[in-house]
């Protein structure tokens, strides 16, 4: 970004500050001369900006380069971005676990904590588990709560812009829960709430199987599969946040419900929970014919659901996550079906992040928010418009 003239002086100062800060974060340490070269700003402007950033605590003078000092005498002053000046949290609230990741302002993970929870745990107790998990993580990392700059939270359900769960059947008491409002009482920083499949999609794009691809579908394959998608590098939520709810396709009369698909007795599987499903998959691996048929029906249903998204969005890559990522042979049937139905079959891969995908995406949500505040970054994949 070159020099700007005229206009609002305060806006100009903010832009100059963001440009310098962005350059510093991208390097280990930079001299004033290097910052002038990288930003295109004048030396007096850079000097003033750096001084202000030091006062704010976001920049600090770096140790002298001893090798340069031996060669040249007194070396030029160098400055670095203080990634430790604040911290971020990424939280997953799932049916059977609550997990949290802590990072610095560069997104480097400093610690994690996970607690198992029962699927029938009511909303209040589940949120209490979230608070306990965060407290344990901050204590173990030696990080003060008031150093948190943003918190990202991801869980099942259709999430509105203010963090209210409009519909969430996977967790007891989740539909209508003002999740964002409830959690904001525990933090003195912004709390951003997102659907779990959307968050996982963002995570795989950031540091997983979809890194480098801007048109992505992530399938969180479970009892009721959901999907998140990036279109042109931006998260696509749909008008009301319900994009990707492929678990509802059976309501259109396409196929039987999961309870029927996974049954090995001719009667609907009850209760339909992950323990029962795991038992069916175990029997299939052991050679039980009825269980193998049930698993094949489930995989066939999954690939048809994914094909519907692929036909609509034409992604470069489809990433499969959730517990179905561990199913033997899930990729080959999916590739075959997509080649059969789609004009341009996408690349298909298993999640590279596994169980950490949702919490990692929630962390990226928090990081995007901070980047917009500090660096005036445009076009983040998670920002709500």
């Amino acid at each position: 970004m070159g020099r700007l003239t005229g206009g609002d002086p305060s806006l100009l100062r903010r832009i100059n500050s963001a440009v310098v800060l962005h350059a510093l974060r991208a390097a280990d340490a930079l001299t004033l001369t290097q910052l002038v070269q990288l930003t295109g700003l004048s030396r007096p402007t850079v000097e003033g900006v750096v001084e202000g950033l030091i006062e704010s605590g976001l920049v600090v003078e770096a140790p002298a380069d001893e090798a340069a000092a031996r060669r040249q005498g007194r070396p030029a002053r160098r400055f670095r971005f203080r990634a430790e000046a604040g911290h971020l949290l990424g939280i997953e609230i799932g049916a059977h676990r609550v997990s949290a990741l802590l990072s610095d302002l560069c997104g480097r993970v400093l610690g994690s904590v996970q607690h198992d929870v029962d699927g029938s745990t009511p909303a209040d107790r589940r949120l209490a588990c979230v608070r306990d998990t965060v407290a344990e993580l901050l204590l173990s990392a030696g990080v003060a709560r008031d150093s948190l700059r943003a918190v990202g939270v991801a869980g099942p359900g259709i999430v509105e812009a203010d963090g209210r769960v409009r519909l969430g059947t996977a967790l007891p008491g989740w539909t209508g829960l003002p999740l964002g409002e409830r959690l904001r009482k525990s933090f003195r920083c912004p709390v951003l709430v997102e659907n779990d499949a959307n968050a996982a999609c963002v995570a795989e794009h950031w540091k997983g199987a979809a890194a480098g691809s801007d048109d992505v579908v992530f399938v969180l394959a479970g009892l009721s599969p959901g999907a998140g998608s990036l279109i042109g590098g931006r998260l696509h939520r749909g008008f009301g946040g319900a994009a990707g709810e492929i678990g509802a396709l059976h309501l259109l009369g396409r196929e039987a419900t999961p309870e029927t698909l996974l049954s090995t007795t001719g009667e609907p599987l009850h209760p339909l929970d992950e323990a029962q499903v795991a038992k069916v998959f175990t029997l299939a691996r052991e050679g039980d014919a009825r269980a193998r048929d049930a698993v094949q029906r489930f995989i066939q249903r999954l690939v048809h659901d994914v094909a519907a998204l692929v036909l609509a969005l034409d992604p470069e890559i489809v990433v499969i996550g959730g517990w179905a990522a561990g199913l033997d042979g899930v990729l080959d049937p999916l590739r075959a079906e997509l080649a059969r139905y789609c004009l341009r079959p996408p690349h298909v891969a298993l999640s590279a992040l596994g169980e950490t995908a949702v919490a990692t995406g929630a962390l990226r949500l928090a990081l995007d928010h901070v980047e917009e505040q500090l660096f005036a970054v445009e076009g983040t994949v998670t920002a709500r418009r």
Side-chain angles (χ1 to χ4, degrees), residues 79-148:
F79 305 90
R80 70 170 180 85
F81 172 66
R82 291 188 68 237
E84 70 275 19
H87 296 87
L88 309 170
L89 279 176
I91 301 171
E92 176 189 6
I93 305 177
H96 298 288
R97 68 170 177 262
V98 169
S99 60
L101 300 176
L102 177 73
S103 83
D104 62 17
L105 294 181
C106 284
R108 289 187 289 260
V109 174
L110 305 176
S112 64
V113 169
Q114 175 176 310
H115 286 149
D116 293 335
V117 292
D118 188 86
S120 62
T121 301
D124 285 347
R125 285 178 54 196
R126 199 176 295 271
L127 293 182
C129 182
V130 170
R131 290 189 287 271
D132 292 344
T133 300
V134 169
E136 180 181 339
L137 177 55
L138 294 177
L139 181 63
S140 65
V143 169
R145 184 177 290 265
D146 60 9
S147 76
L148 294 174

Side-chain angles (χ1 to χ4, degrees), residues 201 205 209-218 228-236 309-310 312-319 344 346-347 381:
C201 186
H205 177 263
S213 299
D214 283 344
D215 292 276
V216 181
V217 164
F218 177 90
S229 58
L230 297 180
I231 300 176
R234 292 189 61 82
L235 187 60
H236 178 68
L309 271 180
V310 170
L313 300 179
D314 185 29
E316 179 181 356
I317 183 172
V318 172
V319 181
R344 193 205 59 77
H347 178 63
V381 299

Side-chain angles (χ1 to χ4, degrees), residues 17-384:
S17 178
V19 170
V20 171
L21 195 59
H22 197 275
L24 284 169
R25 196 183 72 151
D28 291 333
L30 295 172
T31 65
L32 290 175
T33 298
Q34 290 170 326
L35 282 169
V36 168
Q37 294 170 343
L38 286 170
T39 64
L41 300 172
S42 69
R43 189 178 185 90
T45 297
V46 170
E47 288 177 339
V49 167
V50 168
E51 197 63 37
L53 291 172
I54 290 174
E55 291 178 4
S56 74
L58 290 171
V59 169
V60 68
E61 188 168 348
D65 186 336
E66 295 182 2
R70 286 194 296 268
R71 292 194 308 269
Q72 305 169 4
R74 183 179 179 182
R77 297 172 69 196
R78 302 188 310 151
F79 305 90
R80 70 170 180 85
F81 172 66
R82 291 188 68 237
E84 70 275 19
H87 296 87
L88 309 170
L89 279 176
I91 301 171
E92 176 189 6
I93 305 177
H96 298 288
R97 68 170 177 262
V98 169
S99 60
L101 300 176
L102 177 73
S103 83
D104 62 17
L105 294 181
C106 284
R108 289 187 289 260
V109 174
L110 305 176
S112 64
V113 169
Q114 175 176 310
H115 286 149
D116 293 335
V117 292
D118 188 86
S120 62
T121 301
D124 285 347
R125 285 178 54 196
R126 199 176 295 271
L127 293 182
C129 182
V130 170
R131 290 189 287 271
D132 292 344
T133 300
V134 169
E136 180 181 339
L137 177 55
L138 294 177
L139 181 63
S140 65
V143 169
R145 184 177 290 265
D146 60 9
S147 76
L148 294 174
R149 293 293 190 101
V151 176
V153 181
I158 299 172
V159 180
E160 297 180 347
D162 63 355
R164 178 180 292 273
V165 182
R166 181 153 59 90
L167 179 64
T169 58
L171 304 180
W174 220 241
T175 296
L177 180 70
L179 182 57
E181 178 184 326
R182 293 282 298 274
L183 290 177
R184 288 182 190 108
K185 296 177 181 178
S186 300
F187 302 100
R188 298 177 181 176
C189 64
V191 175
L192 306 104
V193 184
E194 187 55 82
N195 166 267
D196 51 5
N198 287 347
C201 186
V202 168
E204 294 289 341
H205 177 263
W206 180 26
K207 53 173 60 178
S213 299
D214 283 344
D215 292 276
V216 181
V217 164
F218 177 90
V219 179
L220 191 60
L223 300 178
S224 180
S229 58
L230 297 180
I231 300 176
R234 292 189 61 82
L235 187 60
H236 178 68
R237 297 180 176 88
F239 178 75
E245 293 295 326
I246 56 177
L249 281 175
H250 71 273
L251 298 175
L252 303 178
R254 281 186 29 90
E255 294 204 27
T257 63
E259 292 91 336
T260 302
L261 290 173
L262 288 166
S263 172
T264 60
T265 64
E267 297 294 326
L269 190 65
H270 184 76
L272 181 64
D273 57 27
E274 291 189 8
Q276 286 275 40
V277 173
K279 181 178 179 181
V280 174
F281 289 130
T282 298
L283 289 173
R285 285 192 295 271
E286 293 173 351
D288 184 278
R290 289 186 175 182
R292 281 204 308 266
D293 289 343
V295 170
Q296 284 303 114
R297 288 194 299 268
F298 179 82
I299 291 177
Q300 190 70 14
R301 158 75 183 279
L302 177 65
V303 297
H304 283 174
D305 291 348
V306 175
L309 271 180
V310 170
L311 284 168
L313 300 179
D314 185 29
E316 179 181 356
I317 183 172
V318 172
V319 181
I320 305 296
W323 53 259
L327 293 182
D328 295 334
V330 68
L331 290 188
D332 286 342
L334 183 54
R335 289 173 180 139
E337 288 296 297
L338 294 180
R340 176 183 173 192
Y341 290 116
C342 302
L343 299 177
R344 193 205 59 77
H347 178 63
V348 181
L350 292 181
S351 167
L353 299 175
E355 290 189 350
T356 67
V358 175
T360 300
L363 181 65
R364 180 70 237 191
L365 192 78
L367 181 59
D368 274 349
H369 178 82
V370 167
E371 286 185 342
E372 286 196 79
Q373 299 299 311
L374 296 181
F375 313 124
V377 171
E378 296 293 337
T380 59
V381 299
T382 59
R384 290 185 184 269

